[in-house]
Amino acid sequence: MTPEDLRAAVAAGILSEAQAASLLALANDRSGQRATLPSEDEPFEFFRGFSEIFISIGLIILLTGVTGLLAAFGGFALLTLVPLATAGIAWWWAGYFTLKRRMTLPSMVLATAFGIGIVIFAFTLLAQAGVEERMIAIAGFALSALAMVAWYRRFRLPFAAFLTGGFTLGAIYAFTASAANLAGLFTGLHGYRSLFDLGESPAFATATLLFGIGAFLTGMWFDTRDPHRLGRHSATAFWCHLLAAPALVNTVAVTLLNGGGILFLAVALVLITILALVIDRRSFLTAAIAYIALVIAWAMGAGGGTSWIFVLLTLGAFITAIGTWWVQLRAKVMQMLPDFPGKSRLPPYGSTE
């Protein structure tokens, strides 16, 4: 039985994640090597076949139609009860598509519909109650995040962790953002760079940094529970790292770029690359691509015109190379590092050949 077979058995509910990991560990012990592990793989799944895409399209159309039908009642129901009813229908249908059929993309569609329904309901209800605008945003996003936690506990859908984090970040930003912060979103690159600078926007940028650290630690908690990346915990960690990477990379990179210069940014990007290799998550390096391009441009002295073509060529070659030899690079890094707490609970690393 291959690791892919075990992963499919976990997804189908035939084996638990612990049982699958135990079987794989036993097979590795008996073979005396880790070469049987899927070293090239960072499992991620949007859908398992075109049927899921087809069903998802149908669900989107059906939910839109149901919402339109409910909205035909108008009045108070149009603003409050309709989104709540839509969220309830999504919960109901998830019992079949998520728990029984175990479909990935339809489950993500239903989770998104549930989250949108809850956040619209919360915003509308709070607005009608005369709550102050900032508190509407804070409470609305916070309630939606709690609702997505309930969704995750009920349906164990990894994508729900991403929605939970997104709503949590919305509540944090609503609490820390000022009018100047929000205006910065529409003032181009300068506004963006000031928005995530710990010096220029301390509350907003610090909130982003703390959120990134929290999402990263949550992702690592799930990762260490499923180091062979066979089931739900690994998939949940993927979504957590997808939230953590841009929050951490943007805050650190922008702050260093504004205050310390490009050389400090280059050092930070090296450390981020090592971190990505150690935890075996490419999302951190993906979030840093734009900043890697800046460092390459600085190193090459690119100022404009055709010089940026060579920057793109160098950047593309770098990303392609590190992706192609990711396993070998990670093996070398892990072998060079001394033992540290949790090292044995990270994804296995194999040959450097």
Side-chain angles (χ1 to χ4, degrees):
M1 179 174 287
T2 66
E4 289 75 17
D5 293 328
L6 290 176
R7 193 174 297 127
V10 171
I14 299 173
L15 295 175
S16 68
E17 293 163 5
Q19 289 171 331
S22 297
L23 283 173
L24 186 58
L26 177 62
N28 291 333
D29 289 341
R30 287 175 62 85
S31 66
Q33 58 183 1
R34 294 200 168 189
T36 57
L37 293 173
S39 56
E40 293 281 357
D41 198 13
E42 186 179 344
F44 171 67
E45 187 175 65
F46 256 124
F47 54 88
R48 296 174 186 165
F50 193 80
S51 63
E52 291 201 4
I53 299 176
F54 192 72
I55 291 173
S56 297
I57 294 172
L59 284 173
I60 292 171
I61 297 172
L62 187 57
L63 283 168
T64 303
V66 169
T67 302
L69 180 63
L70 292 173
F73 290 101
F76 180 77
L78 177 62
L79 297 175
T80 54
L81 298 184
V82 169
L84 183 62
T86 302
I89 291 171
W91 183 286
W92 173 33
W93 289 351
Y96 175 76
F97 289 103
T98 304
L99 295 181
K100 187 173 181 179
R101 294 291 300 274
R102 296 186 179 276
M103 290 184 162
T104 304
L105 188 58
S107 298
M108 293 167 68
V109 169
L110 292 172
T112 303
F114 175 80
I116 292 174
I118 292 297
V119 75
I120 294 175
F121 168 74
F123 273 43
T124 305
L125 193 64
L126 291 168
Q128 290 179 344
V131 179
E132 189 264 332
E133 290 183 358
R134 183 184 291 268
M135 286 306 301
I136 289 175
I138 296 172
F141 282 127
L143 289 172
S144 302
L146 290 175
M148 291 313 306
V149 171
W151 183 283
Y152 182 85
R153 289 181 61 87
R154 175 69 179 91
F155 301 108
R156 303 299 183 185
L157 178 69
F159 180 67
F162 180 81
L163 295 177
T164 302
F167 288 132
T168 301
L169 188 60
I172 292 173
Y173 280 174
F175 181 75
T176 59
S178 64
N181 290 146
L182 297 177
L185 291 173
F186 306 99
T187 57
L189 182 60
H190 176 73
Y192 173 83
R193 287 177 60 170
S194 64
L195 190 64
F196 293 97
D197 190 324
L198 290 168
E200 295 190 37
S201 303
F204 193 89
T206 300
T208 305
L209 183 64
L210 293 177
F211 171 82
I213 293 172
F216 172 75
L217 293 177
T218 302
M220 291 307 303
W221 184 84
F222 279 108
D223 259 340
T224 54
R225 290 172 63 89
D226 186 13
H228 297 289
R229 296 185 174 170
L230 292 169
R232 169 177 53 86
H233 286 120
S234 174
T236 304
F238 169 84
W239 290 109
C240 291
H241 288 306
L242 200 63
L243 287 166
L248 290 173
V249 171
N250 282 330
T251 307
V252 172
V254 167
T255 301
L256 291 175
L257 187 61
N258 289 347
I262 199 77
L263 183 59
F264 290 98
L265 174 60
V267 173
L269 290 175
V270 171
L271 295 177
I272 289 171
T273 302
I274 294 173
L275 174 64
L277 288 167
V278 169
I279 66 175
D280 199 17
R281 288 293 181 184
R282 294 159 179 83
S283 55
F284 275 86
L285 205 55
T286 304
I289 286 178
Y291 300 106
I292 295 172
L294 289 176
V295 172
I296 293 174
W298 166 74
M300 296 178 64
T306 59
S307 60
W308 280 100
I309 297 177
F310 296 100
V311 172
L312 291 175
L313 289 172
T314 305
L315 176 64
F318 171 76
I319 296 299
T320 302
I322 200 170
T324 302
W325 290 287
W326 181 274
V327 175
Q328 293 85 347
L329 287 171
R330 181 170 185 267
K332 288 183 180 295
V333 169
M334 294 298 285
Q335 290 166 3
M336 290 172 60
L337 291 174
D339 289 337
F340 54 85
K343 185 177 182 181
S344 61
R345 301 180 66 184
L346 291 171
Y349 51 95
S351 172
T352 61
E353 298 177 1

